[in-house]
Amino acid sequence: MCGIVGVVGSKNSVTIIIDGLKKLEYRGYDSAGIALLENNQFRTVKEEGKIVQLEQALAQHKFSGEIAIGHTRWATHGAPSKENAHPHASSQVCVVHNGIIENHQELKAKLQKNGAQFLSETDTEVVPHLIEYHFAQTHDIKKSILAAAKEIHGTFALAVIFKGHQDLIAVAKRGSPLVLGMGKGENYVASDYYALSDHTNKIIALDDDEFALVLPNSVEVFDVEGKKVNKKVKTMEAEKNRVSKDGYDHFMLKEIYEQPRVLEETIQAYVDLSNSSIHLPNFGFDLKEINKITIVACGTSYYSGLCAKYLIEEIAGVEVEVDIASEFRYRSHPFRHDNLMIFVSQSGETADTLAALKYAKQNGQKILSIVNVAHSSMAQLSDAVIRTVAGPEIGVASTKAYTGQVAILSLFAVHLGVIKGKVDAKQKNILLQQLAESGLKMTHLFDQSKIKNIKKIAKSLTRARNLLYIGRGISQVTAFEAALKFRELSYINAQGIAAGELKHGTIALIDKKMPVVVIAPRNSQNDLFEKTLSNAQEVNARGGKIIFVSDREGIVQFGKMARKKIEIPKLDGVIQEAILPVISTQLLAYYVSLYKGNDVDQPRNLAKSVTVE
Ligand code: AGP
């Protein structure tokens, strides 16, 4: 996953590219580059590291080119370095690319036979040479782009500039997102609208196997046959007012503190508490006929899907299967006609989830997507979409989007329960109240004394080599999600384990050095607390360093066995158990990352939206 941006016909081409790349850094930030066409020469500057490093390097140069392409990278082929950073060029063609060229070895061998010299270890570098090879045959930009695309196996969003063509960017899309931006006397291309939101709100979203020639005052879109494609220009809503840190040190901390608002706005958007009515978008199919639900996603979104399994099975009594997208898309899944596919994604662009969605669609499934980005590819391809009301999430480690997803999936479970006759009006009202009260209870998790306590525990964990999270029922999912947050932020090996599963092997890891976070909320609606307590005692018996997460009474009941305690409110119902304890674990991961001096908002090796397989 990478971010690409381009502009043609602009006197501020460098500024527009740098602004755009900064907005695309969530897609990868290990190296970056820019190329302009000036006096028919490519002027290229590439740097390892973040856009700021590229900006500093650019300050040494003076540019006048009005056509430019830029790239921010998440390395797939070839380590992060200046040589492997994009753009990559042949003598006449220069490209930036987001995606993976699966047959790059084969193409490279063919092109080397044809005299091409390769300077990098990347898969992408075959593209400019391949386009130049076809251009030499056809002397036609359109034909050469189409011929090259025909030979490429894999995914791509490409922006291409040609010597001798001062006023044209050619683009190609298959699998990776790409939009065109319509300006006044200048036009743009980018991986997503957000990168262009300071310059235009007039957007054309390309579909797979669509291509375009972008000139300062016109755009021509065409298909694989070279036939013209009429595309609708969309006017986008302004998004930029919500992407500041609002005075917080990091986007992640701001986004953690925004979660009570996310709950409030989710309820405002989809519930009328005055008469306990739920207003989800029209699905275009009858939920009554649904007897099986299959939820597919990746990473943190997968864990909100796993929460939904507990919520939907308990509240609506409908069978739910949950799978990670990178496996589901290659499984020969016995699709049922009464099955509903639910895809969950913050970005709506995650390649594995997108491919799984296309696979289910090809098999005639009903597709519901829960996404945080309205105009994302998943939203465009789904029969029905429920938008999470979290606002733009900038921190790579997902927090408020998770809470937004779990809140939406809770509402969906109640809604389905009513339709299936499993939830009566009284129960519906109780469940909606429990969701509504989560927001208030959540604010108590931010009390100064609680933050002070979490900071102290975080300090004690900065030298940990390993860490375990355990829980039961829906708190098992909290343990999984907490461990993922801890791994991606602290770079410490943390595992989430079902508390009941510990004694079947993993307990062998327990010794005096192993911190074990026990997620043991006391919930008025289930008695898993006692069970989790006995598992914690098994850990304590082997000297494990327990950090006990429960309400005041639960902590008292566990007594002295827990050296460290994280207090959470007493919980009412499965929805509150899905939403509340995880917040304290987000804060723990945040402070450990902070005290270790890690990059909290852009942890190493990660990216916010994973647009490659
Ligand atoms: C979560 O903190 C990670 N950033 C990652 O696991 C993420 O949840 C995963 O890549 C899925 O992204 P999506 O929700 O945008 O599809």
Side-chain angles (χ1 to χ4, degrees):
M1 56 240 147
C2 305
I4 70 173
V5 64
V7 59
V8 58
S10 172
K11 299 226 172 331
N12 312 312
S13 52
V14 173
T15 315
I16 291 172
I17 295 291
I18 293 300
D19 282 355
L21 290 179
K22 280 185 178 162
K23 288 202 169 90
L24 292 174
E25 252 189 333
Y26 70 91
R27 305 170 66 87
Y29 36 81
D30 60 38
S31 51
I34 181 172
L36 295 93
L37 187 56
E38 268 182 20
N39 313 326
N40 209 28
Q41 292 306 314
F42 295 136
R43 298 211 42 209
T44 303
V45 179
K46 305 201 267 189
E47 278 301 326
E48 194 175 335
K50 300 196 177 169
I51 306 300
V52 277
Q53 269 89 28
L54 177 65
E55 219 172 355
Q56 281 150 15
L58 284 168
Q60 328 297 325
H61 303 263
K62 275 204 107 355
F63 294 99
S64 61
E66 298 187 358
I67 179 168
I69 52 177
H71 186 273
T72 181
R73 186 171 187 239
W74 186 86
T76 57
H77 298 71
S81 67
K82 250 185 174 174
E83 295 67 37
N84 290 333
H86 298 207
H88 290 289
S90 61
S91 63
Q92 301 299 315
V93 180
C94 183
V95 311
V96 288
H97 169 228
N98 166 212
I100 289 182
I101 313 289
E102 285 157 10
N103 60 338
H104 65 100
Q105 299 290 30
E106 197 190 311
L107 293 170
K108 191 172 181 175
K110 177 187 129 178
L111 293 160
Q112 280 171 323
K113 272 209 206 79
N114 196 47
Q117 304 288 325
F118 286 83
L119 309 171
S120 79
E121 303 157 288
T122 66
D123 55 329
T124 299
E125 197 180 359
V126 295
V127 178
H129 292 286
L130 187 61
I131 295 172
E132 181 158 333
Y133 169 82
H134 286 292
F135 189 77
Q137 330 278 327
T138 63
H139 302 292
D140 178 295
I141 285 183
K142 232 167 129 173
K143 290 197 178 114
S144 57
I145 292 279
L146 290 174
K150 242 197 204 86
E151 288 199 58
I152 293 173
H153 301 166
T155 57
F156 51 75
L158 286 166
V160 187
I161 54 178
F162 294 76
K163 283 188 182 167
H165 297 267
Q166 193 61 43
D167 60 353
L168 179 147
I169 297 179
V171 300
K173 179 202 182 318
R174 185 193 299 153
S176 303
L178 191 61
V179 299
L180 311 179
M182 323 307 286
K184 295 192 180 53
E186 56 187 48
N187 283 334
Y188 320 94
V189 303
S191 295
D192 82 1
Y193 157 60
Y194 178 44
L196 307 175
S197 53
D198 287 354
H199 312 292
T200 179
N201 65 348
K202 300 276 178 252
I203 290 290
I204 292 177
L206 291 186
D207 291 323
D208 280 351
D209 290 312
E210 286 186 343
F211 307 79
L213 301 182
V214 182
L215 287 79
N217 297 302
S218 67
V219 164
E220 181 200 343
V221 180
F222 50 96
D223 64 14
V224 280
E225 309 307 323
K227 280 210 213 70
K228 191 170 172 359
V229 178
N230 292 321
K231 297 289 285 184
K232 208 157 96 344
V233 177
K234 283 191 207 148
T235 302
M236 307 301 288
E237 69 199 54
E239 282 208 20
K240 57 181 177 264
N241 56 1
R242 274 208 194 161
V243 278
S244 76
K245 288 183 188 151
D246 292 354
Y248 288 89
D249 295 343
H250 297 98
F251 280 109
M252 182 187 176
L253 190 62
K254 182 197 100 172
E255 288 156 6
I256 289 175
Y257 276 79
E258 280 185 321
Q259 296 180 99
R261 176 189 58 73
V262 169
L263 281 177
E264 207 185 303
E265 290 191 358
T266 301
I267 290 166
Q268 273 162 12
Y270 298 112
V271 180
D272 179 345
L273 284 171
S274 65
N275 59 13
S276 292
S277 57
I278 298 175
H279 307 283
L280 294 178
N282 177 2
F283 293 150
F285 49 79
D286 186 353
L287 276 178
K288 235 199 229 74
E289 284 149 24
I290 298 298
N291 300 316
K292 164 99 187 292
I293 290 175
T294 307
I295 303 178
V296 173
C298 300
T300 288
S301 294
Y302 166 77
Y303 292 132
S304 69
L306 208 47
C307 274
K309 176 178 177 62
Y310 286 85
L311 294 163
I312 294 170
E313 290 186 346
E314 179 167 328
I315 295 170
V318 173
E319 179 198 348
V320 176
E321 177 187 340
V322 189
D323 204 349
I324 50 177
S326 52
E327 286 301 318
F328 182 83
R329 60 181 297 190
Y330 294 114
R331 244 178 355 102
S332 45
H333 183 78
F335 288 105
R336 285 169 36 175
H337 70 279
D338 60 349
N339 175 60
L340 168 64
M341 296 296 305
I342 300 183
F343 294 90
V344 185
S345 175
Q346 187 286 128
S347 61
E349 299 292 352
T350 301
D352 285 322
T353 312
L354 197 51
L357 186 156
K358 290 173 182 166
Y359 167 48
K361 207 173 169 68
Q362 280 147 16
N363 285 276
Q365 294 291 293
K366 299 177 194 58
I367 310 282
L368 166 63
S369 282
I370 297 175
V371 295
N372 197 41
V373 180
H375 55 274
S376 57
S377 303
M378 277 182 223
Q380 288 168 40
L381 290 169
S382 302
D383 303 314
V385 176
I386 308 178
R387 177 90 185 274
T388 41
V389 195
E393 186 176 65
I394 309 299
V396 167
S398 184
T399 53
K400 64 175 182 174
Y402 179 74
T403 294
Q405 290 161 354
V406 175
I408 293 276
L409 288 160
S410 305
L411 288 176
F412 176 81
V414 178
H415 182 64
L416 183 62
V418 171
I419 287 171
K420 287 287 183 178
K422 182 103 183 338
V423 173
D424 62 23
K426 185 162 166 290
Q427 289 164 315
K428 183 182 177 187
N429 186 29
I430 291 168
L431 289 164
L432 292 178
Q433 285 310 325
Q434 287 172 347
L435 176 62
E437 280 154 21
S438 304
L440 182 59
K441 286 187 177 180
M442 194 184 280
T443 54
H444 295 312
L445 293 169
F446 302 140
D447 294 353
Q448 273 320 304
S449 61
K450 293 204 173 57
I451 298 298
K452 198 155 157 276
N453 175 50
I454 286 181
K455 283 181 176 178
K456 207 159 109 260
I457 296 172
K459 276 218 174 76
S460 73
L461 292 174
T462 49
R463 296 178 183 291
R465 303 291 301 280
N466 298 291
L467 187 135
L468 288 177
Y469 287 86
I470 65 171
R472 277 181 177 264
I474 211 161
S475 288
Q476 168 211 199
V477 183
T478 300
F480 292 157
E481 169 54 15
L484 172 62
K485 277 291 107 41
F486 202 85
R487 287 195 296 274
E488 60 184 324
L489 284 155
S490 70
Y491 313 155
I492 296 171
N493 174 32
Q495 295 305 320
I497 306 277
E501 190 57 17
L502 202 59
K503 55 188 172 293
H504 301 292
T506 309
I507 200 165
L509 293 178
I510 306 290
D511 59 18
K512 292 191 173 20
K513 290 200 238 45
M514 176 63 86
V516 180
V517 181
V518 179
I519 317 271
R522 280 177 346 109
N523 187 328
S524 59
Q525 314 247 319
N526 70 42
D527 56 2
L528 288 175
F529 175 75
E530 307 299 336
K531 309 285 180 212
T532 311
L533 218 54
S534 49
N535 298 129
Q537 278 145 352
E538 291 157 7
V539 171
N540 186 55
R542 289 155 182 80
K545 290 198 299 187
I546 292 178
I547 299 165
F548 197 69
V549 181
S550 188
D551 66 329
R552 187 159 305 150
E553 259 177 68
I555 287 172
V556 171
Q557 194 175 336
F558 192 60
K560 295 206 173 9
M561 287 186 277
R563 290 197 216 128
K564 299 185 178 75
K565 302 128 181 153
I566 295 179
E567 186 183 329
I568 58 172
K570 181 156 182 339
L571 305 180
D572 294 314
V574 64
I575 294 177
Q576 290 190 0
E577 189 169 343
I579 285 176
L580 286 165
V582 73
I583 307 299
S584 303
T585 68
Q586 293 168 349
L587 287 163
L588 187 65
Y590 169 81
Y591 284 110
V592 172
S593 173
L594 186 72
Y595 296 148
K596 288 190 70 179
N598 296 350
D599 187 328
V600 169
D601 282 337
Q602 293 181 330
R604 70 184 186 197
N605 302 346
L606 294 184
K608 183 68 185 165
S609 177
V610 186
T611 56
V612 289
E613 215 188 307

